[in-house]
Amino acid sequence: MQKKMYADIIADINIDSLDRTYQYIIPRELDERVQVGSQVMIPFGRGNRCIKGYVVGISDRAKISPDKMKCIAGMSEGAVSATENLLKLAWWMKNRYGSTMNEAIKTVLPVKKSVREVTKKYIVLATDKERAKAYLNELSNKKNAAARIRLLTVLIDSESIDYRMASGSLNISKATIDSLMNQGIIRVISEKIYRNPLADSTESDKKLSLNPSQLEAKQGILDIYYGRKGGRVLLHGVTGSGKTEVYMSVIEEVIKDGRQVIMLIPEIALTYQTMQRFYARFGDRVSILNSRMSAGERYDQYERAKNNEIDIIIGPRSALFIPFEKLGMIIIDEEHEGSYKSEMPPKYHAREVADKLAEYNNAVLVMGSATPSIETYYRSEPGYEGADRVIRFEMNERCGGAKLPIAHIVDMREELRQKNYSMISRTLREKLSECISKNEQAMLFINRRGYSGFVSCRNCGESITCPHCDVSLTIHHRHGKEKLLCHYCGYETNMIKQCPECGSSYIGGFGVGTQKVEEMIKKEWPGVRTLRMDADTTSGKDGHAKILEAFKNHEADILIGTQMIVKGHDFPLVTLVGILAADMTVKMSDYRAAESTYTLLVQAAGRAGRAEHAGEVVIQTYVPEHYAIVNAAKQNYRDYYEQEILYRNIMKYPPVAYIMTVFVSSASERLSEEIIGHAALVCKRLIGEKTTVTVMGPAPHRISKVNDMFRYQMFVKSSDIVFLNGIRDTVEKVIQEKYQGITYSLQFDVE
Ligand code: ADP
Ligand code: ZN
Ligand code: ZN
């Protein structure tokens, strides 16, 4: 008798208590088709409802008595199977991010179902031209033959016609086509086509000879690559230093070596121009993924990768899961970007997942940025000894002689003293007038993300911070009163009316919107053409691309926007960048506040003066002495980093230690408070006497209520990630048992 085989299967249901593998018998007729990574249909639960499952293992040993075991019902037709490395990655993600295995598998299989292939249909003559002409002659005397005459005339002339064109611009009905087909005059043929989203690019490649620092970086990366042991690289290069050229020349080599490349770019920077550059160099061997593509288009890219038709995929974080068999390199451009972190479980960071995936494939991970994340830079420092060490290359000059912009820091407290109550300083006003009169372009930048109700003094610039956590307190309405609250530890104090530093009463929360700025500009400079880019104006397909395109074509003089406008766009006419309220992020109630500020300022400044025009940047702030602002103006990453890492060291924030966020939300404030309180108790019990672990909170979330759900959070800091993961799993289990049948959400995030 043939040996029975059994499959370990993860059922496609998202219930934590069912998050384990179930063993099923593989029926003989499916023997060949069921493999690790396959999607199958299985009877599940008491009612034997047929649901989908993912095969994650196969063995010849039954874990329970085979008489009690159910049988796989069939294959999930048209489904895509995962490669072994991707499944391995899913297991790793489940453990690292505390999601269910089902969620993890769904993430690594972003294209869930195959979509019907697109076939292109053509109509051709089924007979020779002479017979067709004779038939056409016959038709000319007949009634109701106009459509047939139109079609045949075209076919005799050009031999074939696109089916859609025939029914569209020639207005030929299906009945007409069918009848001609039945008479043997024409034939419809179809050809399977893959949709390559780049297929109509036309630009030609301008291959540049690399400058010395580019060559050094290229050679360094290739040396690591040919070491054949994988490895990690940080390419730290100022904006415009030619990082993209380095990526392209390295990619060329990797492809010549017979391996493939995944390149991650933040979705917002996936511009047509960027894509053109790659398409011009690599032609049909490069493809892209983005969220605007249809399921069918995405599936095609997946298929093309599987069939070895492409060597490079470019896309946002989900491009990591393209099934390349011989992955040789992963590049993460703008590696500091926040959008690399997923907001949905598993809440993975693409940088970490890329690191794992590279490791499984012996591939090299290249991370590039003008403003590297503190985590990555920390690991590239000479003293760092961890196994995840990063080799760093620096490129400090802009290409083609373009200069870094000249930055002016404007002290907004001084503006107030000079009785300028406007949100535009005198310096910025002057430079804007100049820019407009020279017919050049300007970008004004407001940071919406920091719009979070912190309180600061417009006279001395001081913001009110938590005495325990050194992050800003935020205004909150609790039980009908205005309070100041720390979102890390829950410290609470009454709202103040006077600055504790200088006694001024110019104190309060503040913020401006893009719309208000636009109105102001139009009033001050009548006739100036403005474009506004924020969440309101960019909804709809290609919304932001259209605005950027219009600005690039000089259809406006000033672009006003939120952080959306700072990402990797090239505007040769922009000579002035104004940052209206640089402090908005410095004072954000988050340990990353200074990091976000530095990054945003440098990236925004990078927009000015990329071509032959020298650029200028005006940074308006109430804290002109803050290290993030001072160093951003000088583009001095090194000094900024040293101050930043000092702060992280003192406060034990990442990357010096790990921080776990525990987050609860529910429709009842009391319930949310109770659950987070209980979670805190469990944490404290587990931590016991350990002094290396600290609990902060619980406290209401910075945004304490969203869609009528009350949100609370707490933090646990430790340098031991295994210990933190242990706490996470225990807390999850205890809360699940205690609050069975009650609706709430409990989430964890270890950074
Ligand atoms: P980054 O990605 O670092 O911002 P890019 O690769 O986009 O920089 O390069 C910035 C500009 O400099 C581009 O217009 C590019 O064509 C140009 N450039 C890059 N490398 C060179 C080079 N070696 N010589 C001349 N121009 C270059
Ligand atoms: Zn003050
Ligand atoms: Zn605090």
Side-chain angles (χ1 to χ4, degrees):
M1 202 190 102
Q2 197 195 331
K3 227 191 320 180
K4 276 210 163 146
M5 296 292 269
Y6 309 98
D8 293 315
I9 292 179
I10 297 276
D12 183 14
I13 29 175
N14 265 329
I15 301 173
D16 281 332
S17 55
L18 301 179
D19 185 32
R20 58 180 193 85
T21 60
Y22 294 86
Q23 211 172 29
Y24 280 79
I25 296 169
I26 305 174
R28 187 130 11 123
E29 68 273 17
L30 293 182
D31 201 33
E32 305 244 298
R33 294 181 67 197
V34 174
Q35 284 165 5
V36 172
S38 301
Q39 299 189 31
V40 292
M41 300 307 292
I42 48 169
F44 194 79
R46 233 175 274 150
N48 280 333
R49 192 162 57 94
C50 207
I51 65 170
K52 198 164 74 184
Y54 305 96
V55 178
V56 295
I58 287 179
S59 76
D60 53 13
R61 270 204 329 212
K63 291 176 190 158
I64 56 167
S65 156
D67 330 333
K68 293 201 183 121
M69 213 186 284
K70 297 178 193 172
C71 229
I72 293 176
M75 305 303 290
S76 172
E77 289 310 327
V80 178
S81 61
T83 66
E84 290 226 33
N85 272 341
L86 284 179
L87 269 186
K88 214 161 121 193
L89 194 64
W91 281 113
W92 179 83
M93 286 169 79
K94 166 192 158 62
N95 289 320
R96 169 67 182 87
Y97 303 108
S99 71
T100 64
M101 185 57 185
N102 186 33
E103 285 164 338
I105 290 182
K106 286 213 149 107
T107 305
V108 304
L109 276 182
V111 186
K112 279 154 217 133
K113 214 156 169 38
S114 63
V115 184
R116 212 157 48 95
E117 285 160 3
V118 178
T119 49
K120 195 160 184 163
K121 291 203 279 188
Y122 298 92
I123 302 171
V124 294
L125 284 178
T127 70
D128 57 54
K129 271 192 188 168
E130 294 315 309
R131 231 196 101 203
K133 277 182 185 158
Y135 184 76
L136 186 62
N137 269 335
E138 265 173 55
L139 285 179
S140 53
N141 314 319
K142 285 197 179 151
K143 272 198 220 156
N144 301 327
R148 279 177 284 174
I149 293 173
R150 273 203 306 279
L151 180 61
L152 280 177
T153 312
V154 173
L155 281 178
I156 289 167
D157 194 40
S158 62
E159 297 187 357
S160 84
I161 178 172
D162 189 305
Y163 192 99
R164 279 217 310 249
M165 184 117 90
S167 58
S169 46
L170 286 185
N171 194 20
I172 312 283
S173 72
K174 184 167 180 303
T176 306
I177 293 170
D178 286 349
S179 107
L180 283 173
M181 231 163 53
N182 291 337
Q183 294 175 67
I185 311 283
I186 62 168
R187 242 172 350 125
V188 174
I189 56 170
S190 48
E191 202 174 275
K192 180 173 155 188
I193 50 160
Y194 289 125
R195 284 154 295 197
N196 183 352
L198 292 171
D200 20 293
S201 303
T202 48
E203 201 154 294
S204 65
D205 187 19
K206 311 184 282 260
K207 206 155 164 182
L208 304 157
S209 51
L210 300 183
N211 65 32
S213 56
Q214 284 174 317
L215 277 174
E216 196 178 315
K218 174 189 173 181
Q219 208 43 57
I221 295 169
L222 287 176
D223 286 348
I224 294 167
Y225 175 79
Y226 285 117
R228 305 274 179 215
K229 291 199 210 88
R232 302 166 179 83
V233 170
L234 169 62
L235 183 56
H236 179 202
V238 297
T239 47
S241 59
K243 294 184 289 298
T244 311
E245 285 300 321
V246 174
Y247 303 146
M248 290 201 290
S249 67
V250 171
I251 290 172
E252 248 179 327
E253 286 275 332
V254 174
I255 291 172
K256 269 193 218 139
D257 190 45
R259 291 171 80 185
Q260 296 134 343
V261 180
I262 295 171
M263 173 150 166
L264 303 190
I265 291 187
E267 175 108 35
I268 197 137
L270 251 176
T271 58
Y272 191 64
Q273 286 87 347
T274 312
M275 297 318 310
Q276 288 272 319
R277 263 171 95 179
F278 278 86
Y279 195 75
R281 179 79 51 98
F282 300 105
D284 243 352
R285 304 297 296 179
V286 60
S287 190
I288 59 167
L289 279 181
N290 68 45
S291 61
R292 280 160 305 178
M293 287 161 76
S294 66
E297 283 175 313
R298 293 176 138 261
Y299 180 74
D300 286 344
Q301 308 325 310
Y302 205 98
E303 279 287 276
R304 294 174 71 212
K306 274 220 143 146
N307 297 340
N308 244 319
E309 288 171 30
I310 51 177
D311 301 312
I312 313 158
I313 187 87
I314 301 180
R317 58 174 190 257
S318 60
L320 282 175
F321 309 118
I322 204 86
F324 278 146
E325 296 288 343
K326 287 183 285 180
L327 182 63
M329 183 171 286
I330 305 176
I331 296 170
I332 307 185
D333 192 27
E334 312 282 357
E335 67 88 34
H336 61 274
E337 248 300 300
S339 62
Y340 286 130
K341 174 101 187 270
S342 165
E343 296 299 324
M344 303 266 287
K347 294 187 168 181
Y348 70 93
H349 198 298
R351 207 194 300 126
E352 289 182 343
V353 173
D355 197 286
K356 264 292 144 199
L357 188 62
E359 189 185 309
Y360 293 158
N361 287 278
N362 253 328
V364 175
L365 174 63
V366 177
M367 297 167 278
S369 176
T371 53
S373 64
I374 294 290
E375 287 96 321
T376 303
Y377 197 83
Y378 179 72
R379 286 161 46 207
S380 75
E381 285 285 89
Y384 186 81
E385 295 288 330
D388 53 353
R389 260 188 65 74
V390 174
I391 311 293
R392 184 168 78 220
F393 298 96
E394 309 258 358
M395 301 202 300
N396 299 318
E397 307 273 319
R398 279 186 163 184
C399 281
K403 296 215 167 52
L404 283 172
I406 305 152
H408 311 271
I409 298 178
V410 175
D411 184 347
M412 291 303 277
R413 299 169 302 187
E414 192 52 34
E415 296 296 307
L416 193 72
R417 266 172 233 134
Q418 302 298 325
K419 307 270 184 285
N420 174 16
Y421 300 102
S422 153
M423 54 190 130
I424 302 223
S425 63
R426 291 160 303 164
T427 310
L428 183 54
R429 176 171 297 128
E430 208 175 282
K431 305 242 173 252
L432 264 176
S433 291
E434 204 180 302
C435 179
I436 293 166
S437 69
K438 282 201 265 178
N439 202 23
E440 292 170 354
Q441 287 182 299
M443 292 169 97
L444 294 182
F445 168 73
I446 300 158
N447 181 28
R448 232 352 197 314
R449 214 178 330 157
Y451 205 147
S452 57
F454 67 85
V455 174
S456 68
C457 172
R458 291 184 70 180
N459 186 48
C460 75
E462 206 55 44
S463 68
I464 315 302
T465 57
C466 173
H468 310 293
C469 306
D470 207 17
V471 297
S472 292
L473 297 176
T474 14
I475 304 171
H476 258 269
H477 298 270
R478 292 250 282 173
H479 314 296
K481 283 211 183 83
E482 253 192 355
K483 297 273 185 189
L484 287 173
L485 193 70
C486 171
H487 294 285
Y488 274 29
C489 72
Y491 170 85
E492 188 182 284
T493 181
N494 286 328
M495 183 64 195
I496 52 168
K497 299 278 173 257
Q498 270 197 331
C499 173
E501 288 297 312
C502 73
S504 157
S505 53
Y506 273 111
I507 191 156
F510 68 100
V512 277
T514 46
Q515 209 165 347
K516 235 169 119 189
V517 174
E518 187 179 37
E519 281 164 22
M520 220 212 83
I521 298 279
K522 293 204 132 125
K523 230 195 284 162
E524 188 123 349
W525 289 278
V528 75
R529 299 165 306 161
T530 58
L531 272 171
R532 187 155 61 85
M533 184 154 147
D534 53 31
D536 298 337
T537 58
T538 52
S539 53
K541 195 172 160 160
D542 298 333
H544 75 258
K546 279 186 198 138
I547 296 175
L548 294 171
E549 202 53 40
F551 189 58
K552 200 180 171 105
N553 295 337
H554 207 173
E555 288 165 34
D557 309 299
I558 303 179
L559 176 63
I560 303 158
T562 55
Q563 59 262 28
M564 284 177 179
I565 67 178
V566 308
K567 301 288 147 53
H569 308 293
D570 233 336
F571 301 110
L573 277 176
V574 171
T575 54
L576 177 66
V577 169
I579 294 143
L580 294 189
D583 332 37
M584 291 235 171
T585 37
V586 174
K587 294 172 185 170
M588 211 159 53
S589 52
D590 182 336
Y591 74 89
R592 290 181 195 279
E595 181 173 3
S596 321
T597 305
Y598 181 85
T599 304
L600 282 163
L601 293 183
V602 171
Q603 299 284 345
R607 298 306 115 218
R610 295 200 75 169
E612 62 275 17
H613 304 264
E616 281 193 275
V617 184
V618 177
I619 302 172
Q620 302 190 158
T621 173
Y622 291 95
V623 280
E625 67 288 346
H626 192 286
Y627 67 88
I629 292 177
V630 174
N631 289 313
K634 290 195 275 200
Q635 301 238 8
N636 187 338
Y637 184 88
R638 190 67 219 176
D639 284 0
Y640 145 73
Y641 172 79
E642 274 165 14
Q643 299 249 6
E644 185 65 34
I645 203 70
L646 196 66
Y647 161 70
R648 306 279 178 103
N649 258 311
I650 292 167
M651 298 305 293
K652 295 278 172 280
Y653 284 127
V656 178
Y658 293 96
I659 186 164
M660 175 168 76
T661 312
V662 184
F663 172 88
V664 171
S665 85
S666 83
S668 147
E669 181 161 23
R670 195 195 45 75
L671 178 68
S672 294
E673 219 170 344
E674 186 190 313
I675 293 176
I676 197 84
H678 198 72
L681 268 180
V682 179
C683 279
K684 283 175 187 150
R685 209 168 59 222
L686 289 169
I687 293 161
E689 303 290 292
K690 275 199 177 61
T691 52
T692 52
V693 187
T694 8
V695 176
M696 303 158 74
H701 188 270
R702 180 157 58 94
I703 306 158
S704 60
K705 193 169 137 189
V706 170
N707 289 332
D708 288 323
M709 301 293 271
F710 292 88
R711 297 143 53 100
Y712 279 78
Q713 62 184 4
M714 59 180 277
F715 301 91
V716 188
K717 283 193 293 192
S718 165
S719 50
D720 186 350
I721 191 171
V722 180
F723 183 72
L724 283 181
N725 284 344
I727 294 185
R728 176 190 72 199
D729 294 344
T730 310
V731 170
E732 187 165 38
K733 217 167 113 234
V734 171
I735 298 288
Q736 237 170 50
E737 273 161 23
K738 192 171 156 83
Y739 295 94
Q740 241 174 43
I742 292 172
T743 311
Y744 65 92
S745 153
L746 171 68
Q747 291 174 28
F748 300 85
D749 187 8
V750 183
E751 286 180 292

